[in-house]
């Protein structure tokens, strides 16, 4: 899942506007998809790719339930190209809802996407496909938790001809606000009784 | 997000085609005449330029390093082109494949060597060329920048003994000085925000791009929203909203002073006519009255003036004579086109009273409220909250945290909103190069603070969870997490941990 601050940064830097065509892989929980769809309404299109069949199916149903399925198309596809094309599994669902597995690339033709967002374990494999599908001067964004993935992806992007690379890390700090009353230090001294024995080390206690 | 009744795109037919509203203009990939562009230099400077084919005044519009250059050759170039700065001829576009750091081949041919800097003494004597010789080379127009760099490298005694990374750094430094290149970049909200933040953060109320990104995301802007925005951060929030909404919906932006003074910055966004007209300017005096009851009765003179205009409108006699005297047909056409567009603007511009009526429309209040002003946040927010629809978000941005703390406490006390959050962000950029990955040397410390919340209904809204309602809800949905208990009770733990009920723990898990 992509958290709110990260999704805000991604959408801002990818310069997503109404009526754009965006590609996103993988769909995952669909949180990022909803954020993107909010920004590309009313006539934009989000192509969302997920290589896990059940997740792809769930996402498709969820988008329909939320009333946004005119803005999105879910593909059951491995954009990195590591699966076998044409694999069909029995979904047990309705005929028209069945998705066919595809492998490699984004399938929407060359120079079709305004921006591409990758949230994959091996994004460097998808970068050449992204370069092919991207319109001229489009933006790409890859979201990775590890530095090694980031390094490989940056190198892949440079090799494929992307320019002006920027790598950022953002963190949110939430502040908790409460009213605290500050007292000054109490000035009362401990009362000392004159008849009480005082203990001085090294001497016999006086009685 | 409502379904458009007239959207007829089906999945199989129009997978790639997008049904575009004919009213909207798609952002172009090439620079047009009059567009603002951003030039990103190799030494990290960012300069705005306007691509003009003709300009008023003597000096050409673009100023770099105290010299002025012509920008008409930028028109028609695709965004992303790399330009080289030639001292005589200005910015020259380079063919595809060139990068802002020139001569990548020079860098790649550096063999990895085992050198380190143990024998290096820094006594400023390692360059054999004198300063006069260098100046001569630079002013000679026949010698290219790359030739100068080569000469300098050849005349450096310590170059060969450097490490390969050090050599690359040296070459890059010399190239920035003698072979300055820049990239032509489109002006979008993220690039403009970054450029302005680098130039003068104080003018922008320290609005860093991640804070701006958060403002846009938290306020739930999308096409068709009605937004009330009070922006004194140079107008960048208004411009970014206009771009994000693409012309659909409206932005009511409040200004103080005689006239909206951020027109200059908003022009940099290269907004289309529709996007520009979605911004409606409101004077602060119309919303913040000293005396609320005094209503300015009387006629709306702007509307009367506008109703008097008729189009097509014949030319006045002196204008007719002026036009007939023009010899150049193109010039005449340009004049008439400008006149027509002036009329178009006058006829379509709503008057300030009309804008106020649009805002105060009782049937549809604003979908979100954004404050990024340098005035007292608490007072401003309290006076503008009535214009916001219930259950809609508001976002208050401020440079410093203390006023937002006051605001937080006040809203909490009056019970006007729920889900109040006071946050700030930490952003760090990295340099990712093979064997040289590290965070950047400089990191900005202050990007401003954001207070956000969701407005409660003034009559029914409550900020506490009503136990009765929760019990009924749980009975219906079958207990916590949907599991029905056999004895019918809904207690899982009893009243053990009282702190969680009062919301005082750091991890406040939702119990509903």
């Amino acid at each position: 899942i992509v958290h709110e601050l990260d999704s805000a940064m991604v959408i801002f830097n990818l310069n997503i506007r109404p009526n754009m065509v965006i590609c996103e892989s993988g769909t995952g929980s669909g949180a990022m998809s909803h954020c993107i769809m909010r920004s590309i309404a009313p006539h934009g299109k989000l192509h969302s790719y997920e290589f896990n069949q059940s997740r792809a199916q769930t996402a498709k149903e969820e988008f329909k339930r939320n009333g946004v399925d005119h803005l999105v198309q879910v593909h059951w596809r491995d954009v990195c190209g590591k699966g076998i094309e044409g694999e069909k599994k029995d979904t047990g669902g309705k005929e028209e809802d069945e998705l066919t597995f595809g492998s490699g690339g984004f399938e929407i033709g060359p120079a079709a996407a305004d921006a591409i967002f990758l949230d994959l374990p091996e994004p460097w494999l998808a970068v050449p496909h992204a370069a092919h599908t991207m319109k001229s001067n489009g933006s790409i964004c890859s979201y990775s938790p590890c530095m090694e993935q980031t390094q490989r992806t940056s190198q892949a992007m440079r090799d494929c001809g992307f320019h002006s690379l920027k790598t950022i890390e953002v963190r949110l700090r939430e502040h908790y606000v409460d009213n605290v009353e500050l007292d000054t230090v109490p000035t009362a001294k401990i009362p000392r009784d004159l008849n009480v024995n005082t203990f001085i080390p090294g001497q016999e206690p006086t009685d | 997000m409502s379904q458009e009744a007239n959207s007829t795109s089906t999945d199989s037919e129009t997978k790639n085609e997008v049904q575009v509203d004919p009213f909207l203009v798609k952002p172009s990939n090439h620079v047009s005449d009059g567009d603002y562009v951003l030039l990103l230099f190799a030494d990290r400077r960012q300069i705005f330029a306007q691509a003009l084919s003709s300009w008023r005044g003597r000096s050409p519009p673009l100023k770099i390093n105290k010299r002025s250059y012509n920008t008409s050759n930028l028109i028609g170039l695709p965004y992303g082109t790399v330009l080289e700065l030639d001292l005589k001829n200005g910015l020259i576009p380079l063919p595809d494949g060139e990068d802002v750091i020139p001569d990548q081949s020079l860098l790649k041919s550096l063999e990895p060597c085992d050198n380190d800097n143990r024998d290096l003494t820094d006594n400023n004597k390692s360059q054999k060329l004198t300063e006069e010789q260098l100046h001569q080379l630079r002013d000679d127009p026949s010698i290219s920048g790359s030739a100068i760099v080569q000469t300098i490298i050849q005349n450096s005694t310590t170059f060969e003994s450097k490490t390969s990374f050090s050599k690359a750094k040296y070459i890059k430094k010399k190239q920035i000085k003698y072979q300055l290149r820049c990239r032509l970049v489109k002006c979008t909200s993220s690039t403009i925000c970054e450029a302005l933040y680098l130039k003068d953060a104080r003018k922008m109320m320290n609005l860093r791009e991640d804070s701006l990104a958060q403002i846009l995301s938290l306020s739930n802007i999308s096409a068709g929203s009605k937004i009330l925005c009070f922006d004194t951060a140079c107008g960048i929030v208004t411009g970014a909203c206009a771009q994000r909404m693409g012309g659909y919906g409206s932005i009511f932006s409040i200004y103080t002073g005689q006239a909206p003074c951020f027109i200059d910055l908003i022009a940099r966004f290269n907004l289309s006519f529709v996007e520009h007209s979605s911004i409606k300017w409101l004077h602060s005096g119309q919303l913040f009255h000293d005396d609320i009851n005094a209503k300015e009765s009387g006629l709306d003179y702007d509307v009367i003036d506008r109703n008097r205009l008729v189009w097509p409108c014949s030319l006045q006699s002196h204008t007719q004579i002026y036009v007939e005297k023009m010899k150049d047909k193109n010039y005449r056409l340009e004049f008439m086109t400008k006149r027509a567009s002036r009329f178009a603007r006058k006829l379509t511009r709503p008057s300030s009273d009309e804008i106020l009526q649009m805002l105060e429309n009782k049937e549809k209040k604003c979908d979100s409220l954004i404050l990024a002003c340098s005035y007292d946040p608490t007072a401003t927010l309290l006076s503008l909250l009535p214009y916001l629809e219930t259950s809609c978000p508001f976002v208050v941005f401020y440079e410093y945290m203390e006023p937002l703390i006051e605001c937080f406490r006040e809203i909490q006390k009056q019970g006007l909103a729920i889900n109040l959050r006071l946050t700030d962000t930490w952003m760090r950029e990295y340099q990712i190069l093979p064997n040289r990955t590290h965070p950047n040397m400089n990191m900005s410390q202050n990007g401003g603070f954001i207070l956000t919340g969701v407005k409660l209904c003034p009559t029914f809204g409550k900020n506490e969870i009503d136990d009765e309602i929760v019990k009924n809800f749980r009975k219906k949905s079958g207990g916590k997490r949907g599991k029905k208990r056999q004895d019918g009770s809904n207690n899982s733990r009893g009243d053990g941990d009282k702190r969680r009920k009062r919301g005082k723990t750091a991890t406040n898990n939702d119990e509903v």
Side-chain angles (χ1 to χ4, degrees):
Chain A
I1 185 168
V2 181
H3 292 289
E4 181 174 27
L5 175 61
D6 296 319
S7 69
M9 276 304 274
V10 169
I11 294 182
F12 184 66
N13 278 310
L14 285 181
N15 192 31
I16 294 185
R17 290 184 208 186
N19 302 352
M20 272 190 160
V21 175
I22 316 276
C23 286
E24 173 203 29
S25 177
T27 315
S29 55
M32 185 66 184
S33 317
H34 283 90
C35 276
I36 296 178
M37 282 193 277
R38 176 173 68 167
S39 308
I40 58 174
H43 296 297
K45 198 76 174 174
L46 170 68
H47 293 274
S48 196
Y49 299 85
E50 174 59 55
F51 65 175
N52 181 318
Q53 189 189 19
S54 56
R55 269 211 297 258
Q57 195 64 38
T58 321
K60 196 166 169 184
E61 284 156 18
E62 190 177 343
F63 294 145
K64 191 156 187 180
R65 258 206 320 270
N66 288 341
V68 292
D69 58 341
H70 63 293
L71 288 170
V72 66
Q73 185 176 2
V74 180
H75 302 252
W76 175 29
R77 191 176 189 90
D78 180 0
V79 296
C80 297
K82 285 166 84 177
I84 312 165
E85 178 110 21
E87 231 179 276
K88 230 182 187 171
K89 292 187 191 159
D90 187 15
T91 59
K94 292 182 263 182
E95 266 298 316
E96 69 241 27
D97 282 349
E98 222 166 71
L99 301 162
T100 329
F101 184 69
S103 178
F106 293 86
E107 202 203 2
I108 55 173
D114 290 298
I116 295 184
F117 175 68
L118 300 173
D119 182 5
L120 299 165
E122 291 176 317
W124 56 90
L125 297 174
V127 168
H129 296 289
H132 175 75
T133 318
M134 188 90 86
K135 278 190 195 159
S136 163
N137 246 300
S139 309
I140 186 174
C141 174
S142 167
Y143 185 67
S144 312
C146 305
M147 189 49 80
E148 293 81 359
Q149 293 168 326
T150 316
Q151 287 175 312
R152 280 196 217 163
T153 316
S154 289
Q155 195 52 47
M157 285 187 192
R158 271 190 216 109
D159 292 337
C160 289
F162 286 98
H163 63 78
S164 307
L165 269 69
K166 199 162 84 154
T167 308
I168 41 185
E169 178 191 353
V170 272
R171 289 245 176 273
L172 190 70
R173 290 197 304 194
E174 191 164 337
H175 299 274
Y176 178 68
V177 180
D178 198 5
N179 226 5
V180 174
E181 269 201 37
L182 296 173
D183 292 328
T184 47
V185 180
T187 49
K189 293 194 181 163
I190 303 174
R192 276 271 156 80
D193 198 356
L194 282 173
N195 289 331
V196 169
N197 289 328
T198 50
F199 177 67
I200 302 168
Q203 277 186 11
E204 298 259 358
T206 54
D207 216 350
Chain B
M1 246 164 296
S2 61
Q3 302 252 10
E4 290 283 294
N6 53 0
S7 147
T8 52
S9 58
T10 53
D11 270 1
S12 50
E13 285 176 310
T14 55
K15 242 203 283 193
N16 307 334
E17 291 162 32
V18 168
Q19 288 234 337
V20 180
D21 199 319
F23 204 32
L24 290 175
V25 174
K26 259 204 169 143
S28 130
N29 212 12
H30 295 259
V31 184
S32 333
D33 191 0
D35 266 358
Y36 277 90
V37 298
L38 199 56
L39 300 168
L40 300 184
F41 285 87
D43 56 354
R44 306 246 183 97
R45 268 185 309 166
Q46 303 190 359
I47 298 184
F48 282 104
Q50 194 178 13
L52 292 169
S53 53
S54 59
W55 61 88
R56 288 196 204 148
R58 265 191 297 157
S59 62
L62 175 59
K63 225 180 186 182
I64 305 173
N65 284 342
K66 298 182 191 162
R67 292 193 204 197
S68 303
Y69 300 99
N70 192 348
T71 48
S72 52
N73 60 339
L74 296 177
I75 299 175
L77 289 178
Y79 283 108
T81 319
V82 179
L83 305 161
E84 182 154 334
L85 182 65
D86 184 310
L87 293 172
K88 268 207 163 175
N89 305 327
L91 292 166
I92 304 174
L94 299 169
D96 267 347
E98 290 278 354
D99 196 21
V100 184
I101 300 170
D103 284 334
Q104 294 279 31
S105 52
L106 188 63
L107 292 172
K108 283 197 183 136
S109 67
L110 293 172
E111 286 152 16
C113 45
D114 268 336
N115 291 343
D116 52 31
N117 63 0
R118 66 183 82 206
D119 294 324
L120 219 58
T121 8
D122 189 10
N123 52 10
N124 227 10
K125 292 191 189 140
S126 50
Q127 178 58 247
K128 284 190 264 169
L129 287 177
T130 61
E131 211 179 311
E132 294 94 45
Q133 283 175 311
L134 269 176
H135 282 314
Q136 265 179 11
L137 283 175
R138 194 179 57 193
D139 294 332
D140 188 344
S142 61
I143 301 180
S144 70
S146 55
I148 299 179
V149 174
Q150 288 277 32
T151 324
I152 293 177
I153 293 174
Q154 279 159 8
N155 280 310
S156 163
T157 48
T158 48
F159 186 75
E160 281 309 312
S161 57
K162 293 191 194 221
T163 68
S164 56
F165 293 149
S166 185
K167 280 182 190 162
K169 244 178 145 175
Y170 182 84
I171 295 177
K172 186 175 169 187
K173 215 168 65 169
K174 296 303 169 194
Q175 281 173 338
I176 284 178
K177 211 168 172 194
Y178 296 102
Q179 221 185 336
L180 192 55
R181 287 190 182 183
C182 63
R183 197 182 286 277
L184 193 67
V185 166
K186 202 194 288 213
C187 280
T188 63
S189 35
S190 58
T191 50
I192 294 178
C193 187
E194 196 183 333
L196 288 178
Y197 187 77
L198 283 174
K199 195 157 76 164
D200 190 357
R202 291 303 307 277
K203 238 204 295 188
M204 293 246 302
M205 288 179 73
N206 268 322
L207 182 63
R208 204 170 53 201
E209 61 246 33
D210 53 335
S211 300
L212 183 57
Q214 267 214 297
I215 291 177
L216 293 174
S217 168
L218 289 170
S219 56
N220 203 25
I221 293 182
S222 61
S225 320
K226 183 173 167 185
I227 302 176
L228 179 57
C229 166
F230 195 162
D231 173 15
T232 54
C234 288
I236 194 169
V237 179
T238 314
C241 291
Q243 260 197 350
R244 267 292 257 276
M245 298 203 331
Y248 299 100
S250 41
I251 304 170
F252 293 90
S253 183
I254 305 176
Y255 67 94
T256 53
Q258 295 285 50
C261 49
F262 304 128
I263 303 288
D264 184 36
L265 184 69
I266 295 198
R268 301 236 172 112
F269 280 89
N270 296 330
L271 295 174
S272 63
F273 178 68
V274 203
E275 286 168 349
H276 210 105
S277 19
S278 66
I279 305 178
K280 301 185 168 43
W281 297 99
L282 267 178
H283 191 248
S284 55
Q286 289 175 290
L287 291 176
F288 301 88
H289 314 282
D290 275 335
D291 185 359
I292 310 172
N293 294 322
K295 271 217 162 158
E296 276 186 38
S297 64
L299 308 164
D300 188 353
Y301 291 105
D302 290 328
V303 176
I304 294 176
D305 275 339
R306 195 177 66 206
N307 289 338
R308 265 199 233 134
L309 290 175
V310 172
W311 185 260
C313 177
S314 50
L315 293 164
Q316 291 178 304
S317 48
H318 56 262
T319 326
Q320 188 131 17
I321 298 171
Y322 176 62
V323 172
E324 274 166 16
K325 273 199 184 152
M326 284 184 208
K327 294 178 195 149
D328 189 6
K329 234 190 204 173
N330 285 335
Y331 194 64
R332 198 185 297 185
L333 191 63
E334 201 185 313
F335 181 82
M336 297 304 280
T337 320
K338 278 195 182 156
R339 182 173 174 267
S341 54
R342 226 182 11 244
F343 268 89
R345 278 199 299 274
K346 274 196 205 163
L347 284 169
T348 54
R349 189 169 51 205
S351 72
S352 39
D353 284 340
E354 284 184 337
I355 296 178
L356 189 61
Q357 273 171 23
M358 275 192 250
L359 177 64
E360 290 181 339
N361 181 5
K362 292 286 185 244
E363 271 141 63
K364 187 177 191 290
K365 293 201 191 170
C366 292
D367 293 316
S368 53
L369 173 64
I370 301 177
L371 289 187
C373 62
S374 42
Y375 301 103
D376 181 17
T378 318
T380 321
L381 182 61
L382 290 175
S383 16
L384 291 180
L385 262 185
Y387 293 102
L388 183 63
E389 184 67 60
T390 320
S391 300
C392 282
F394 62 84
V395 180
V396 182
F397 169 82
Y398 204 73
E399 245 183 297
Y400 314 112
M401 192 156 68
E402 289 84 355
L404 290 184
I405 293 179
E406 260 178 51
C407 199
F408 187 108
R409 299 288 300 160
E410 190 60 38
I411 304 258
Q412 221 178 27
K413 212 166 40 164
Q414 293 191 21
L416 294 170
I418 58 167
N419 213 12
L420 280 174
R421 287 169 65 205
L422 178 59
T423 59
D424 79 309
T425 47
W426 175 98
M427 182 172 96
R428 177 181 246 183
E429 259 194 66
Y430 287 77
Q431 168 189 287
I432 307 263
L433 288 173
N435 291 327
R436 285 162 286 172
T437 302
H438 61 76
N440 276 0
M441 287 274 289
N442 291 324
M443 194 177 113
S444 90
Q445 177 263 342
N446 185 16
F449 298 85
I450 294 183
L451 171 67
T452 176
V454 176
K455 179 179 170 183
L456 279 176
C457 174
T459 24
F460 299 111
K462 253 206 304 191
N463 199 4
E464 297 116 26
I465 301 177
D466 193 340
D467 280 334
E468 279 301 317
I469 299 179
V470 170
K471 264 196 209 152
N472 289 333
F473 182 73
R474 280 202 188 141
K475 261 197 219 151
K476 268 195 238 163
S477 61
K480 255 196 229 178
R481 301 185 193 99
K483 292 182 190 153
K484 268 206 157 81
R485 290 187 157 260
Q486 281 176 337
D487 53 5
S489 75
N490 277 329
N491 279 340
S492 61
R493 253 194 226 161
D495 285 327
D497 196 349
K498 279 208 161 37
R499 281 184 303 161
R500 213 170 273 165
K501 272 202 185 160
R502 277 187 269 131
K504 291 286 185 192
T505 53
T507 56
N508 208 354
N509 298 320
D510 276 328
E511 301 270 82
V512 180

